[in-house]
Amino acid sequence: MLDALEPISTINSFIPHGSCYLWNARLIGLHATSDLLIALAYYSIPVMLFSFICKRRDLPFRRVFVLFGFFILFCGAGHLLEAWSTWHSVYWAMGIIKVLTAVTSIVTAIELYSVIPKAINLPSSGELEATNQALQQQITERKEAEESLRQSADRLRKALDFEALLKRITDKVRDTLDESQILQAAVHELGQELGVRSCNAALYDLTSKTAVVHYEYTDSTVPVQGRVMSMENSPDLYKQILSRQHFQFCSLFPNPNRGRVSMLVCPILDDREVLGDLWLVNAADHAFKDLEIRLLQQVTNQCAIALRQARLYQETKAQVQELKRLNHLKDDFLSTVSHELRTPVANIKLATRMLSLIIEQAQAEDKSTTSASNQLSYAFSDKQGADEKAAHYLKILQDECQREIGLINDLLDLQRLETNHTTLTIEPINLDDWLLRVVKPFEGRASNRQQRLTLKSMDPPLPIVHTDSVSLGRILTELINNACKYTPPGESIIVNVQSLPEAVQFTISNSGIEIPEREIIHIFDKFYRVPSADPWKQGGTGLGLALVKKLTECLGGSIQVTSQDMATHFTVTVPLEFEVPQSQSAFELNEQVATSVL
């Protein structure tokens, strides 16, 4: 453009503006510098406007911004030519630039006239801010609603999953009557479904105050299954569990095996007692939700029902076995008692019949009259033989009557012990003399059977014992009698007495026979006899050792039996001083110390 205007500027020899300034350097510098700076500012503004328009494609009223850009651009060109005209007379170019500026400004004004009403209707920054806040609030509420719906959907899905899990666990625990399988099914299903670090179940022994972990599901290399824990080591924890409360907590100090963890425990309980507990263990930052807590409570309820059913089944099964055993004992007792009662009666009947025949024969001989000396001699010898037979049968009658009386007395004594009607007479006993009298009657019997009967005292002289002499004598007599009954010929029977600080101990040992271990737990049962252990075939009712145990307990003592290496030892320990409390009657005392054998 300047090239096109150059002929005009050269043809017209106008005076430059510098002449008007009288070529004053300071004045020229002032005006030239100002024009140049204004031109530079005018040129920078369009550049920024055009850059802004290019970056904001959605900008309203773009034409106004473009027109303003050109208007400012032409204004800048005018100031630039104004500075140039100080030395050069480019007035035509300045006029053309002014024309372009005027046209652009008019167009811009017209455009502004049509745009201003629209711009006035545009919302203010405050309105836009309020609108933005309202939109932001709506967005937040919508997000919260969506999150709430998502959480509700998650809870519903999780609730359905937990319901299906509870049904699986319920079906599994009710399909078995084995306690370990019940806990295994519950723990395994819970551990897998909930994804916890560990899940374990324990059963309580409230008598010994211990908890035994029966089953565990864990990712730890240090399992706790089979561990026995004492409740006294964590009294606060188990006090809360035994009070039927569930709770969750986080360990304050890291566990050496699993670090810091959060735990949820719920008691396994029924309407009677707390049977055990069920634990969930997870990371320390995990908080168990209400759904998980309710699920664990429902699982423990189902486990408690199944465990109670299993225990009732085991109790019923044990009762059935016990009834069978008692029925068997009853049959054995009836058979034994009927045999033992019939045998003396049969012998008595036979002896009575034989005595009656001897008497009839003697009466018949007395009626016969003869004077021959040989007949008198024959009658005398025959009468002597009849007297011996009568004495023999009379002894049979006495022995069998005594046997019958003894059997009946045993039954009556046992009945009195069971009904707590036994009275005790406490008196001092000099064991040194008293034991000799107890053992003496068995010496002849042992000698006849080639048995060696020995009385030993570890601490002579023996102390004075204050107890019931009849009951103590009955105990030792019964044990020595059993030793004589079951000891084979050539073996020994030893009655050993030892003094203890507060008691005296009697040990009756016999060699040559050993009681099987499976039979030892039954030998004090009523009517029980060890099979095939009577070499002398004397029989018995099985009441002797039951009476011995009851009498020992009545005296405040104890009895133990061991059998090994072809020798059996019965050890009876009774206190040196046993007194009946003055405030108690004999009936009350026996009720306190006696227990039923059945």
Side-chain angles (χ1 to χ4, degrees), residues 139-319:
I139 292 172
T140 303
E141 292 177 354
R142 181 169 295 181
K143 287 183 178 179
E144 291 177 353
E146 291 177 353
E147 181 66 18
S148 178
L149 289 174
R150 186 185 64 79
Q151 292 178 358
S152 298
D154 290 343
R155 285 196 297 270
L156 180 59
R157 183 175 63 256
K158 187 170 290 187
L160 293 175
D161 293 341
F162 284 177
E163 184 178 355
L165 173 63
L166 180 62
K167 185 178 184 304
R168 289 200 307 271
I169 294 176
T170 302
D171 292 341
K172 287 185 177 181
V173 301
R174 291 189 177 181
D175 285 343
T176 180
L177 292 173
D178 188 331
E179 291 187 4
S180 60
Q181 292 183 7
I182 292 171
L183 298 178
Q184 178 179 352
V187 169
H188 187 74
E189 290 289 341
L190 279 175
Q192 280 193 330
E193 183 68 24
L194 299 182
V196 294
R197 291 178 54 179
S198 176
C199 178
N200 63 75
L203 293 180
Y204 291 170
D205 184 350
L206 298 179
T207 303
S208 60
K209 295 185 181 300
T210 57
V212 182
V213 180
H214 280 258
Y215 193 77
E216 179 188 25
Y217 174 89
T218 181
D219 58 1
S220 173
T221 57
V222 185
V224 298
Q225 183 171 341
R227 184 177 299 176
V228 179
M229 294 170 289
S230 174
M231 297 182 182
E232 296 178 352
N233 294 336
S234 303
D236 295 335
L237 176 69
Y238 285 102
K239 180 180 179 181
Q240 195 166 351
I241 296 175
L242 292 175
S243 62
R244 300 170 172 258
Q245 297 180 19
H246 69 275
F247 55 94
Q248 60 175 314
F249 62 97
C250 182
S251 56
L252 295 177
F253 303 100
N255 185 281
N257 297 322
R258 57 192 180 190
R260 292 191 63 185
V261 293
S262 64
M263 291 168 279
L264 172 64
V265 57
C266 188
I268 302 174
L269 54 91
D270 58 9
D271 55 348
R272 299 182 184 177
E273 59 183 357
V274 178
L275 305 176
D277 56 40
L278 189 58
W279 289 75
L280 295 181
V281 181
N282 218 332
D285 57 350
H286 179 82
F288 293 97
K289 300 178 178 60
D290 291 340
L291 276 177
E292 294 173 326
I293 295 174
R294 286 198 294 269
L295 172 65
L296 192 64
Q297 287 179 311
Q298 292 173 346
V299 170
T300 54
N301 289 338
Q302 295 300 324
C303 288
I305 294 173
L307 288 172
R308 179 58 64 188
Q309 290 177 343
R311 292 183 178 183
L312 288 175
Y313 170 75
Q314 294 299 329
E315 291 175 2
T316 304
K317 185 177 179 181
Q319 289 175 355

Side-chain angles (χ1 to χ4, degrees), residues 32 75 105 108 237 282-283 291 325 359 368 407 439 497 502 544 589:
C75 290
S105 63
T108 302
L237 176 69
N282 218 332
L291 276 177
R325 189 183 72 84
I359 292 173
S368 62
L407 177 60
V439 176
V497 188
E502 299 293 336
L589 174 65

Side-chain angles (χ1 to χ4, degrees), residues 550-570:
K550 295 293 292 182
L551 289 170
T552 303
E553 292 173 352
C554 284
L555 296 181
S558 63
I559 182 169
Q560 296 178 342
V561 57
T562 58
S563 186
Q564 57 185 1
D565 300 330
M566 295 305 293
T568 302
H569 311 277
F570 284 86

Side-chain angles (χ1 to χ4, degrees), residues 402-450:
Q402 189 63 36
R403 181 179 175 184
E404 192 80 5
I405 292 170
L407 177 60
I408 294 173
N409 285 338
D410 285 348
L411 292 172
L412 293 176
D413 290 342
L414 191 58
Q415 179 65 22
R416 282 194 295 270
L417 287 171
E418 288 180 349
T419 55
N420 302 320
H421 281 81
T422 300
T423 57
L424 301 177
T425 302
I426 308 303
E427 58 182 337
I429 301 175
N430 186 348
L431 292 179
D432 291 318
D433 298 332
W434 183 81
L435 281 173
L436 293 175
R437 294 196 299 271
V438 173
V439 176
K440 185 69 174 178
F442 294 96
E443 292 178 350
R445 178 178 174 184
S447 177
N448 293 335
R449 296 182 176 183
Q450 292 84 46

Side-chain angles (χ1 to χ4, degrees), residues 465-478:
V465 179
H466 292 79
T467 188
D468 183 73
S469 62
V470 176
S471 298
L472 183 59
R474 180 68 180 276
I475 293 170
L476 297 180
T477 299
E478 189 66 41

